[in-house]
Each structure stands twice: as structure tokens, then as C-alpha cells.
Amino acid sequence: MSTNPYLPKKARIEKIIQETFSPDLDVKTFRLKFEDGQLMDFLPGQFVEFSLPGVGECPFGFASSPLQKDYFEITIKRTGKVTERIHTLDEGASVWIRGPFGNTFPLEKMEGANLLFIAGGLGLAPLRPFIQYVLDDSNRTKYGNVDMLLAARTSGDHCFAYDLPVWNEIDRTSVRQTIDRDEPGWKGLLGFPHNLVRDMPLDFSNLYAVLCGPPIMIKAVQAALMEMGLPLNRLYTTLEMRMTCGVGKCGKCNIGHQYVCVDGPVFCMEELAQMPGEY
């Protein structure tokens, strides 16, 4: 990548994957390559600035494995002016990318521990690189049990549905899916993660939990895990709230004395507990 963080590079859309299938939620994954053949080198938790000239720019976390060097993926929900336009693009279209930016999950610190991933809806996207990194054959023995609790409103709102059965077959790995309300043919769980996590057989003596989703879900799950005995210094989340510029200059993602785009987006809950309750 360019050493100038303000200078975007041209990338081509290699593939578009429709992730959700309910009528009121449109999420797509865009597989990208730089047109000059340069590779994107990033770590789980980092993000890029995705721009269309004359339309605008938005930050999005990586959604693919950092070990996959042939391409990188960004998962985008259609929700505003820029994302509306991105969703109209076809395979082969050109876009502009700045990054990578931000910090990463403490991969080495978590080695030897069991991992619990809890995601709500699109919150699985920024966790997917971490999950794929941990479950890769080259890293799987470095970590203990991997448990996932993945929530969505309906069965059609679960992102990366093609990954889940593959992950569930990996040694010492379990994937639990839940939706808000029952529907015909659904064989998974029902209800919200902060209630369901209480029934999971977890060993809190050697566990790190990683959460991502709507703020109300993160706070409810955090409270439940703390009641169950998990300390704040073993709880992590990733925030993308209000990020705009990616380099800490616009000030829109400021929380206390920190900027989400520079000091995050990955934060330990113990760190967030010392900051204003804005997230």
C-alpha cells in the first residue's frame, strides 16, 4: 500500500456475494483486488476506507482471512447514499481503497486460551478474519476451544451461512445460531445472546470473549458474562461507530481522549469502562 494514508489505490471488484435474503436487509460481500497487482497486508480487526469518486467514502472492516493474500473482502449493508451506490456496482467495476487502518485483536495474548465469539447480524463481518485466522490449520493448535453464538433477526439475516457448517466441523469448534422469533423449518436456537450464553458450557478460568453487534447487544452480553464470572480484561469488542476519516483528524469518532479509528477499533472492555459511556 501507499505510505500516504490520504492517497487511495484503485481496486477491482472480482466477485459479489449476496449474504442476506430477507426483504428489508440487504448485505453483500465484495471481493477486491488492487488493479496494479499489489497485495493487501492486514490483521484481524483492521479496516479500510472505501470510496467512489463523486459519491463519498465510508470505513469498513475487513471480512476475509488475513492469510488469504490473493484478494480481500469487505461486507457492506445497504443503508445510505454511499452504500446504496456501492450496491449497484457489478463485478469488474473499479473502486478506491485507503488503508489498512486501526489496531488488531491481541492474537498472541490469546494463544493457549479458549475463545468465545458472540456476534449480532453484520457484527460477524469484522470477527470473521479473526475466526478464519484461528481456525486455519497453521494456527488451530495455538488456541483452545472455539465457541460461537451468532444471532440474527431471521434465518435469512445470517451472514456467511456458507462458512458456518464448515467451521462447525473443525476440531474443538462449535457454532450456535439463534434468531429472534421461531419460523417454519428453523432448527437452531431462539432468543437473544445475553440469555442464551448462560446455558453454554464455558470454562471461565481460561477464556477470552469477543463481541460485535448492535451496542445494546454488546452491553447486555457484557453484563451477562460479567455476572457469570468473566472479568472485563478478558472481554473485547470492535467499534466502528462514527468513524469517517480513518486517521484521527475529523474528530467524529472521539470517545474521551481516544479516537476509534486510531486507538481502535478493537478495545478491551476494561479500557472502555474507563471512558465516557458513549459507545
Side-chain angles (χ1 to χ4, degrees):
M1 287 297 296
S2 169
T3 57
N4 184 343
Y6 300 98
L7 185 64
K9 286 179 63 67
K10 199 173 187 181
R12 181 177 61 253
I13 298 174
E14 296 288 317
K15 185 177 181 179
I16 301 174
I17 304 168
Q18 182 69 46
E19 298 288 356
T20 58
F21 297 93
S22 60
D24 59 342
L25 180 65
D26 189 3
V27 177
K28 294 179 180 179
T29 294
F30 295 82
R31 182 172 296 177
L32 304 169
K33 286 186 179 181
F34 288 119
E35 294 194 353
D36 65 1
Q38 188 171 347
L39 301 180
M40 173 66 84
D41 190 16
F42 69 95
L43 290 170
Q46 292 188 296
F47 67 97
V48 295
E49 295 283 348
F50 188 120
S51 64
L52 297 178
V55 181
E57 181 180 67
C58 291
F60 300 106
F62 288 99
S64 56
S65 171
L67 303 174
Q68 169 57 256
K69 301 299 183 182
D70 292 339
Y71 59 81
F72 59 98
E73 293 178 340
I74 307 296
T75 300
I76 300 173
K77 175 183 176 181
R78 181 166 57 86
T79 188
K81 182 183 74 172
V82 179
T83 56
E84 287 271 3
R85 185 68 66 87
I86 292 172
H87 270 241
T88 67
L89 299 175
D90 296 320
E91 294 176 359
S94 294
V95 300
W96 295 86
I97 300 292
R98 288 194 295 127
F101 297 117
N103 65 354
T104 182
F105 294 100
L107 305 176
E108 294 184 2
K109 181 179 180 180
M110 293 181 177
E111 288 184 7
N114 299 322
L115 301 177
L116 171 63
F117 295 95
I118 300 182
L122 188 57
L124 181 56
L127 301 189
R128 188 179 181 229
F130 190 3
I131 294 170
Q132 291 177 316
Y133 176 90
V134 168
L135 297 184
D136 188 84
D137 288 343
S138 63
N139 293 317
R140 186 64 191 90
T141 58
K142 299 177 184 178
Y143 299 90
N145 296 332
V146 176
D147 292 289
M148 303 178 215
L149 178 57
L150 311 178
R153 295 178 309 163
T154 72
S155 60
D157 294 333
H158 276 282
C159 296
F160 315 113
Y162 41 87
D163 283 337
L164 307 187
V166 177
W167 292 347
N168 202 42
E169 291 298 317
I170 296 174
D171 185 42
R172 293 176 297 130
T173 303
S174 71
V175 179
R176 295 171 173 83
Q177 292 177 261
T178 183
I179 57 176
D180 292 355
R181 298 180 181 85
D182 199 7
E183 59 184 57
W186 177 249
K187 298 180 180 180
L189 300 173
L190 294 174
F192 301 107
H194 66 283
N195 293 321
L196 298 173
V197 71
R198 301 177 189 275
D199 298 323
M200 295 178 66
L202 301 170
D203 179 4
F204 284 84
S205 66
N206 188 28
L207 177 74
Y208 282 96
V210 185
L211 319 176
C212 190
I216 190 171
M217 185 213 83
I218 294 175
K219 292 184 178 182
V221 173
Q222 172 187 331
L225 289 173
M226 289 175 62
E227 289 176 12
M228 296 168 69
L230 189 65
L232 282 178
N233 62 5
R234 285 181 169 262
L235 266 167
Y236 283 80
T237 190
T238 175
L239 306 176
E240 295 183 8
M241 54 172 284
R242 301 194 304 271
M243 290 198 303
T244 299
C245 71
V247 292
K249 300 301 182 183
C250 72
K252 292 184 179 179
C253 66
N254 171 251
I255 304 178
H257 64 282
Q258 301 207 38
Y259 294 89
V260 173
C261 67
V262 175
D263 301 301
V266 175
F267 290 94
C268 177
M269 290 296 193
E270 185 177 49
E271 182 181 14
L272 288 178
Q274 306 303 316
M275 297 162 61
E278 301 175 14
Y279 71 96

